[in-house]
Amino acid sequence: MTPRADDDPAAAHARTLLRTATRYSGLRCAALCLVSMAATGAGLLLPAALGRALDLLLAQAPATRWVLYCAGLVLLLALLDAAQTVLTGTVDARSAAWLRRRLTGHVLDVGPQAADRFGSGDLVARLVGNAAEAGTAPAARAALLAALAGPVGGVVALGLIDWWLAAVFLAGAPVLTFLLRAVARDTTESATRYQRAQGRIAAALAEAVEGVRTVRAAGTENRETARVLRPLAELSRAGHRMWRVQGRAAAQAVAVAPLLHLGVVAVAGVLLTRDRLSVGDVLAASRYAVLATGVGVLVGRLAGLARARAAARRLGEIETEPAPAYGVRRLPDGPGRLELRGVTARRGGRAVLDGVDLVVPGGTTLAVVGRSGTGKSLLAALAGRLADPDAGEVLLDGVPLRDLAHDDLRRAVGYAFARPALLGGTIEQAIGLGLPSPSPGRIREAARTALADDFVRRLPDGYDTPVADAPRSGGESQRLGLARAFAHGGRLLVLDDALSSLDTVTERRITDALLGDGPGATRLLVAHRTATAACADAVAWLDGGRVRAVGRHEELWRSTEYRAVFGEADGTACAGAGAGAEA
């Protein structure tokens, strides 16, 4: 669908999402439309059949056939109504599932920027609640034609009985049209506000759940509860407005529809006295007037469609966050030389990294150090294209990362983080995440390199223990994350503070493995301890968003300002001493 010029991007994406979701269940939507139209057609035939049967009975003529027609139409309506219910539920479920898959994939493609922009709680609310509401749009659209056909067919049937009946009804039709337009407009506005308030509550709740230990320790449960529920007043106002809109529409319909119905019946009565209509015609006209004034069904359909469109717009906002595009180039043979040329990266309107030039020769280990907020983790993310710079470029073995094919890039770069997310059903699956065909031998070798094999074997089912059932400390979680990075292999290994929860002895042993026969030709380590920096081939000292110096740790240690980064008086030796408890 081509976006209209006056549309904002979110609205254009929302229309595209709804169109594609409708196409995804196209056959079922077509069947629903046909069933709904058949039900409307049967409903339009029934008053005529009832009127004919009544006339024959009053005339004491044989009416069995028409009575059977009426019974058959009633049975057909019941069957069509059941089919319509089943098809509506099926289309709603399929559409919601498709939207969730599409948006979940997009969020994962975008990466951390999506959570930074919307917040994890709000994202979950959109992917769960809003996707379910937006998923009702295809079925609502499919049934909308039948909802419109009922009133239109009723007016046509009135005209076929006598044109005066249709003229009386059409005199009040503009009022009904105005009513429907107002309902759609006001419902969309109030539904948007309601869904936004829901998203804010979800975002605040996710933050509170993530920091539940901090909340308990500070004794601020009541304050956090109030913060989470602060948007509740706005939610209530939006919800009440939504019900007021629909209630007002229903009240107006109740006021207008009976007047039109009475007008049609009155005119039919006059025509009956003039022998222009039969008693059966009056009965049919009365029923057709009810169908023609049946704006209640139409109001409900339009209100539901308005809520679905408002929800789809919130999904469209997610799609306005662009996913990174990948190239088609393949990596040449090489040792894993990493180069940053004039890299600038902004976050929150601030240049966290500003014109960074840095070269990590293939097969070497570079430790990145600096005070908090100097951009160490952002540089680590740029090194493997978990984020893109706002200016400059990052190259691996001479190829810009933007030009690399997705699979080539992900095979070449392995990552370990300070707080690894252990995904997968079992410990073995968590370590082998991302490997096309992980072998048990490779998994266990990586675990031994990360010093994780011993505690994994002590688990109830060893490597087959479900991740959720594996009690572990922060240091043990980090070792599993390191094992996953080691199993991944590749020519570049990025450790973003991945040793921070380890005791000094374990950190030294893993560092020795990294610098000895560990996997990965080139290593980029975000370091906070002097022992880690001292073991690296070189250290890049970040300060104020720039690389202040690159050199050996013992050379940089002569600077008082460099020593202040670590806050230690002695830290030129590579070997760690002593053992502390893991976090």
Side-chain angles (χ1 to χ4, degrees):
M1 182 177 293
T2 304
R4 289 193 288 265
D6 59 341
D7 275 334
D8 62 289
H13 280 289
R15 286 200 311 275
T16 301
L17 283 172
L18 293 183
R19 182 194 64 181
T20 313
T22 302
R23 192 165 57 237
Y24 176 71
S25 294
L27 291 177
R28 288 175 174 83
C29 286
L32 176 59
C33 184
L34 291 174
V35 168
S36 301
M37 290 297 292
T40 299
L44 290 170
L45 289 174
L46 184 57
L50 287 171
R52 181 59 178 164
L54 179 60
D55 284 339
L56 290 173
L57 289 172
L58 291 175
Q60 296 182 348
T64 304
R65 185 177 61 175
W66 286 97
V67 171
L68 290 175
Y69 286 162
C70 293
L73 286 171
V74 170
L75 178 60
L76 179 61
L77 281 169
L79 293 174
L80 290 173
D81 182 66
Q84 190 173 358
T85 301
V86 171
L87 284 170
T88 299
T90 302
V91 171
D92 288 351
R94 283 174 56 86
S95 300
W98 181 86
L99 287 168
R100 285 171 180 152
R101 284 196 299 271
R102 164 83 172 253
L103 272 298
T104 300
H106 183 74
V107 167
L108 295 177
D109 284 342
V110 170
Q113 294 92 322
D116 292 342
R117 176 180 171 184
F118 299 103
S120 56
D122 190 24
L123 275 177
V124 171
R126 292 174 191 242
L127 295 177
V128 177
N130 293 150
E133 188 123 40
T136 64
R141 285 176 168 176
L144 187 61
L145 182 61
L148 287 168
V152 172
V155 174
V156 171
L158 287 174
L160 292 175
I161 295 173
D162 193 285
W163 70 270
W164 273 106
L165 301 178
V168 169
F169 181 86
L170 291 174
V175 178
L176 294 176
T177 303
F178 175 78
L179 169 65
L180 295 176
R181 290 187 62 186
V183 168
R185 181 188 65 247
D186 295 342
T187 301
T188 299
E189 179 186 356
S190 54
T192 300
R193 293 181 179 177
Y194 188 87
Q195 291 163 4
R196 284 177 179 168
Q198 279 183 319
R200 284 196 290 273
I201 291 175
L205 180 60
E207 292 173 1
V209 170
E210 186 176 358
V212 64
R213 289 188 296 179
T214 302
V215 173
R216 290 291 298 277
T220 56
E221 293 92 340
N222 293 335
R223 189 185 308 169
E224 278 301 300
T225 301
R227 184 182 72 87
V228 171
L229 298 180
R230 191 172 297 140
L232 199 59
E234 182 181 353
L235 185 77
S236 176
R237 286 194 298 270
H240 279 85
R241 174 169 171 73
M242 206 156 38
W243 288 114
R244 281 198 302 271
V245 167
Q246 296 184 38
R248 185 169 63 246
Q252 291 168 342
V254 168
V256 174
L259 292 177
L260 293 175
H261 183 226
L262 287 174
V264 170
V265 172
V267 172
V270 172
L271 296 175
L272 176 64
T273 61
R274 297 181 179 179
D275 294 327
R276 288 179 58 177
L277 297 180
S278 66
V279 174
D281 289 336
V282 174
L283 173 64
S286 175
R287 296 303 304 160
Y288 284 129
V290 171
L291 289 174
T293 56
V295 294
V297 175
L298 209 51
V299 166
R301 295 288 186 195
L302 290 176
L305 194 55
R307 290 193 299 270
R309 285 175 173 170
R313 191 188 181 285
R314 283 174 54 79
L315 300 181
E317 288 175 358
I318 297 177
E319 287 219 325
T320 60
E321 192 69 27
Y326 292 88
V328 296
R329 292 184 63 180
R330 308 295 300 272
L331 272 174
D333 292 336
R337 184 178 189 271
L338 178 67
E339 184 177 0
L340 282 73
R341 296 179 182 172
V343 167
T344 296
R346 299 180 179 85
R347 293 295 183 270
R350 179 176 70 92
V352 180
L353 297 175
D354 187 9
V356 171
D357 292 303
L358 186 65
V359 175
V360 186
T364 65
T365 300
L366 177 75
V368 180
V369 304
R371 292 183 180 274
S372 177
T374 55
K376 300 185 297 296
S377 290
L378 181 55
L379 188 148
L382 295 172
R385 211 189 169 198
L386 296 184
D388 284 327
D390 295 287
E393 60 181 358
V394 183
L395 301 93
L396 184 61
D397 284 325
V399 181
L401 297 188
R402 292 178 186 268
D403 296 343
L404 283 174
H406 175 274
D407 292 346
D408 244 31
L409 174 62
R410 292 300 156 222
R411 280 195 299 266
V413 184
Y415 265 97
F417 304 98
R419 298 173 63 185
L422 300 174
L423 308 176
T426 65
I427 294 293
E428 182 170 339
Q429 291 170 348
I431 295 175
L433 184 72
L435 295 177
S437 55
S439 66
R442 183 173 181 177
I443 298 299
R444 283 152 181 75
E445 179 61 30
R448 283 191 290 271
T449 304
L451 304 183
D453 182 68
D454 287 343
F455 80 81
V456 171
R457 289 184 182 278
R458 291 195 298 269
L459 294 172
D461 297 310
Y463 285 88
D464 293 326
T465 303
V467 173
D469 298 337
R472 57 194 182 275
S473 67
E476 289 169 339
S477 292
Q478 278 200 343
R479 280 188 267 169
L480 290 174
L482 286 165
R484 181 172 60 202
F486 295 163
H488 178 278
R491 65 181 72 186
L492 173 64
L493 180 62
V494 181
L495 273 62
D496 183 6
D497 203 16
L499 307 174
S500 59
S501 294
L502 303 179
D503 61 77
T504 53
V505 172
T506 303
E507 179 184 4
R508 177 188 174 185
R509 292 174 62 187
I510 292 178
T511 303
D512 289 343
L514 278 170
L515 301 181
D517 298 327
T522 306
R523 290 92 171 181
L524 182 71
L525 282 69
V526 173
H528 289 87
R529 294 180 182 176
T530 55
T532 306
C535 292
D537 296 311
V539 176
W541 176 14
L542 290 184
D543 187 21
R546 295 178 178 272
V547 177
R548 181 164 176 175
V550 177
R552 294 283 300 176
H553 174 73
E554 56 268 24
E555 297 169 355
L556 299 176
W557 192 257
R558 298 167 189 159
S559 167
T560 303
E561 292 178 274
Y562 179 79
R563 292 198 299 272
V565 171
F566 300 94
E568 299 178 19
D570 184 19
T572 58
C574 175
E582 290 185 356

